[in-house]
């Protein structure tokens, strides 16, 4: 049996046939939706609604349930969404697999605690673009390292922009501001710049955060430069490089979000 056969295998037709394991149940839902992408095979509506409800009510993985599953309450709504997503089967199937990847990874291998903490905080930040960038970065670490680094940079850019916008959407940054400039603006707004009175260890951490931001911007430009100067070949990204970039970006994003939330919660007089 090929991997494609596994992905496109139909879900059990009755609730009584469902496996007990959480991972297996999540895979039943994913595989059923992959099959539904072809139109002819349909996951049982009662099975779909049960598994969808279970995942959305599971505090360990609720934030990783794909948004399109959250909004489609039954298989009729799901088929309407998938049909409009793309005219061909394969783009639909690829979309479903990619969207389910963070959820399946969490259940299958156990996502590292750092990933879990960052995911929960970024989701609570209530910015869909931030959560989407983080989930894409996580998903692509192994399969698309270069894409993962792109999404790591996008994550930080999106977090910075969200912090620099008011409730009306007015932005205090220019459209062409790059990541280092955006970070400097956020650091100023959140009063992150260390002073002479700041503990030396804390000052080093702040300096490391700035280095991460500048390094991500430089690395993304380097890996995408097919015509590197001085005859240098473009840097070939390995999954370990992508994992490092994504994890560091997630850590800095977590710090910025938690600092912004702390500033919002603090009394205005402080």
């Amino acid at each position: 049996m090929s991997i494609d056969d596994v992905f496109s295998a139909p879900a059990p037709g009755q609730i009584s046939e469902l496996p007990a394991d959480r991972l297996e149940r999540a895979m039943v839902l994913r595989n059923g939706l992959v099959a539904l992408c072809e139109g002819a095979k349909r996951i049982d509506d009662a099975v779909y609604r049960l598994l969808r409800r279970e995942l959305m009510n599971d505090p360990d993985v609720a934030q990783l349930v794909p948004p399109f599953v959250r909004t489609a309450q039954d298989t009729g709504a799901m088929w309407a969404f998938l049909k409009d997503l793309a005219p061909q089967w394969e783009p639909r199937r690829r979309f479903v697999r990619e969207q389910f990847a963070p959820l399946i990874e969490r259940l299958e291998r156990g996502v590292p605690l750092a990933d879990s903490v960052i995911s929960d905080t970024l989701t609570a930040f209530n910015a869909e673009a931030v959560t989407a960038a983080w989930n894409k970065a996580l998903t692509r670490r192994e399969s698309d390292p270069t894409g993962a680094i792109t999404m790591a940079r996008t994550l930080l850019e999106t977090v910075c922009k969200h912090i620099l916008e008011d409730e009306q959407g007015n932005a205090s940054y220019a459209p062409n501001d790059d990541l280092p400039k955006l970070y400097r603006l956020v650091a100023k707004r959140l009063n992150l710049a260390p002073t002479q009175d700041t503990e030396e260890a804390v000052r080093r951490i702040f300096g490391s955060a700035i280095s991460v931001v500048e390094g991500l911007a430089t690395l993304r430009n380097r890996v995408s430069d097919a015509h590197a100067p001085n005859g240098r070949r473009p840097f070939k990204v390995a999954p370990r490089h992508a994992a490092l970039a994504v994890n560091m970006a997630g850590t800095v994003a977590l710090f910025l979000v938690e600092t912004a939330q702390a500033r919002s919660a603090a009394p205005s007089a402080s």
Side-chain angles (χ1 to χ4, degrees), residues 50-231:
L50 172 66
L51 297 179
R52 171 181 176 271
R53 184 169 62 252
E54 285 182 356
L55 290 171
M56 290 177 60
N57 291 332
D58 187 336
D60 291 336
V61 298
Q63 74 276 8
L64 296 178
V65 175
F68 74 100
V69 174
R70 291 179 174 276
T71 57
Q73 297 181 338
D74 53 39
T75 54
M78 177 59 70
W79 170 237
F81 169 80
L82 293 172
K83 185 172 59 175
D84 292 341
L85 182 67
Q88 291 82 28
W89 297 349
E90 186 51 36
R92 300 173 190 165
R93 299 189 331 194
R94 183 169 59 249
F95 171 81
V96 171
R97 294 168 188 163
E98 290 177 349
Q99 290 289 306
F100 266 85
L103 172 64
I104 298 300
E105 181 183 4
R106 169 76 66 91
L107 292 173
E108 183 175 31
R109 298 190 300 174
V111 174
L113 178 61
D115 284 9
S116 177
V117 171
I118 294 170
S119 294
D120 292 344
T121 301
L122 295 185
T123 300
F125 193 43
N126 198 29
E128 291 185 6
V130 171
T131 304
W134 172 242
N135 286 338
K136 288 179 181 178
L138 288 178
T139 302
R140 298 176 184 180
R141 284 181 294 190
E142 292 289 335
S143 61
D144 181 12
T146 300
I149 290 176
T150 297
M151 294 315 304
R153 185 179 69 175
T154 299
L155 168 67
L156 287 179
E157 289 176 344
T158 306
V159 167
C160 289
K161 289 179 179 180
H162 194 74
I163 293 173
L164 294 170
E165 293 173 355
D166 60 23
E167 295 181 357
Q168 288 71 43
N170 299 314
S172 57
Y173 58 88
N176 294 327
D177 284 348
D178 59 10
L179 176 56
K181 177 64 179 298
L182 291 170
Y183 182 83
R184 288 194 293 272
L185 291 172
V186 168
K188 182 177 180 180
R189 170 167 292 194
L190 299 181
N191 194 27
L192 296 180
T195 66
Q196 293 298 321
D197 296 330
T198 305
E199 179 69 31
E200 177 63 23
V202 176
R203 293 176 63 187
R204 290 184 179 182
I205 292 175
F206 282 136
S208 297
I210 295 172
S211 297
V212 169
V213 170
E214 294 177 344
L216 269 177
T218 301
L219 178 59
R220 183 61 194 94
N221 292 336
R222 180 74 177 88
V223 298
S224 64
D225 186 4
H227 304 286
N230 303 323

Side-chain angles (χ1 to χ4, degrees), residues 22-39:
R22 285 197 310 169
L23 169 62
E24 295 297 327
R25 291 169 84 90
M27 293 179 69
V28 164
L29 178 59
R30 181 201 62 186
N31 294 348
L33 295 183
V34 169
L36 180 60
C37 290
E38 299 181 14

Side-chain angles (χ1 to χ4, degrees), residues 239-256:
R240 67 181 185 278
H241 302 133
L244 177 62
V246 171
N247 293 342
M248 295 298 288
T251 300
V252 174
L254 176 65
F255 171 70
L256 293 178

